[in-house]
Amino acid sequence: MQFSTIISLTVVASMTILSAMAAPAAPVCNKACAKIYKPVCAKLLSGENKTFPNVCEMNVFNCENPANKPALVAETACEDIAPKCNKVCNKMYAPVCAKLLSGEAKTFGNKCTLEVYNCENPTAKAESVVNGECPTTPAPVCNKACPYIYKPVCAKLQSGESKTFGNSCEMSVFNCENPTSLATLVAESACEDVKPAPVCDKACTREYKPVCAKLQSGESKTFANACTLKVFNCENPTALAEVVSNGECPTTPAPVCKKACNKVYAPVCAKLQSGENKTFGNKCTLEVFNCENPTALATVVSETACKN
């Protein structure tokens, strides 16, 4: 009994050893890859494309998946691989007009060349509009009959360059012939006669030492100090302000309007400055309105209620 047991154990142990010797050892894969992103695209046996961060990562995958080794397709990410476009189109001229995403119309030799364009420009596909060539926009007919009068004008081109035209008519002709490069009027004189804008020194102290100045409009304006007044005059050479006095400009007090009107209804119709007619309960209420609205005086039209 003991002898047979020993034999059985010996057989089992031998079979275990033989099985271990027969099974291939799993490969030891080196996974120490640098953290460099230099993507590669590889094709798996399933036919699917897969992006690996770098060649080392692909080799690790191959080591761990010996039965599904991917083949290198390109040294870039799979999504960056340009599609293979069929460029073999016949030379038959059967034009189609297509609209680009920019809104521009473009004529293609035939539908095949349109398809090639769309394949090569997947983010700017052109849509077929009509068969045949795109209609061309006729060039504008510009009236070039300008008088021989030299009354120069200076204009700024879109390039930033200044250009002198003999007169405004010649500038209009230029703009008609160059609709994508319009000239903008700068001054009604030759460009060389245009004085550059003065460079004003704006470095004023924050000292509050007010001065009252009178503008050319007749309005009074308070400046924080004489320096800020000087800057204003430099920046507004055609609207110089003159010093009236030191200190702030006096403020005009608002009028005190008498609002105590009797309640007698003796209507009057008055015309506002807006042109609208308005009925007031009596002349007193009209006077109160005019007192409170000195810039929008109402004028009596009739001593009755306004007729709608």
Side-chain angles (χ1 to χ4, degrees), residues 176-199:
C176 178
E177 294 178 338
N178 301 273
T180 59
S181 180
L182 297 179
T184 308
L185 183 66
V186 174
E188 293 185 348
S189 63
C191 295
E192 54 268 24
D193 296 335
V194 178
K195 294 181 180 179
V199 179

Side-chain angles (χ1 to χ4, degrees), residues 135-141 179:
T136 56
T137 305
V141 179

Side-chain angles (χ1 to χ4, degrees), residues 121-141:
N121 301 273
T123 59
K125 288 189 175 180
E127 295 181 1
S128 179
V129 179
V130 290
N131 291 327
E133 295 181 353
C134 299
T136 56
T137 305
V141 179

Side-chain angles (χ1 to χ4, degrees), residues 14-198:
S14 300
M15 290 179 67
T16 302
I17 293 170
L18 289 172
S19 298
M21 291 176 64
V28 178
C29 301
N30 179 14
K31 299 182 181 181
C33 291
K35 294 183 179 180
I36 299 172
Y37 187 69
K38 195 174 180 182
V40 292
C41 180
K43 191 171 186 178
L44 307 182
L45 287 178
S46 63
E48 180 188 2
N49 285 345
K50 179 177 174 67
T51 298
F52 293 91
N54 50 51
V55 176
C56 177
E57 296 280 358
M58 185 183 77
N59 292 336
V60 172
F61 181 89
N62 284 344
C63 178
E64 294 178 338
N65 300 273
N68 189 21
K69 287 187 176 182
L72 183 66
V73 174
E75 292 184 349
T76 183
C78 298
E79 56 268 22
D80 295 336
I81 298 174
K84 292 182 180 179
C85 302
N86 177 23
K87 298 183 181 181
V88 183
C89 293
N90 61 49
K91 295 183 179 181
M92 180 177 65
Y93 189 66
V96 289
C97 178
K99 190 175 182 181
L100 308 184
L101 283 178
S102 63
E104 180 189 359
K106 180 177 172 68
T107 299
F108 292 88
N110 51 46
K111 286 187 177 179
C112 177
T113 56
L114 169 61
E115 290 169 359
V116 171
Y117 175 88
N118 284 339
C119 177
E120 294 178 339
N121 301 273
T123 59
K125 288 189 175 180
E127 295 181 1
S128 179
V129 179
V130 290
N131 291 327
E133 295 181 353
C134 299
T136 56
T137 305
V141 179
C142 302
N143 179 16
K144 299 182 182 181
C146 290
Y148 291 101
I149 299 172
Y150 186 68
K151 196 175 179 182
V153 292
C154 179
K156 190 173 184 179
L157 307 184
Q158 287 193 348
S159 63
E161 180 189 0
S162 294
K163 180 177 173 67
T164 298
F165 293 92
N167 50 50
S168 56
C169 175
E170 290 185 4
M171 185 182 80
S172 299
V173 172
F174 176 88
N175 284 341
C176 178
E177 294 178 338
N178 301 273
T180 59
S181 180
L182 297 179
T184 308
L185 183 66
V186 174
E188 293 185 348
S189 63
C191 295
E192 54 268 24
D193 296 335
V194 178
K195 294 181 180 179

Side-chain angles (χ1 to χ4, degrees), residues 214-219 232 236-242:
K214 190 174 183 180
L215 308 183
Q216 288 194 351
S217 63
E219 180 189 0
F232 175 87
N236 301 273
T238 59
L240 297 178
E242 295 181 2

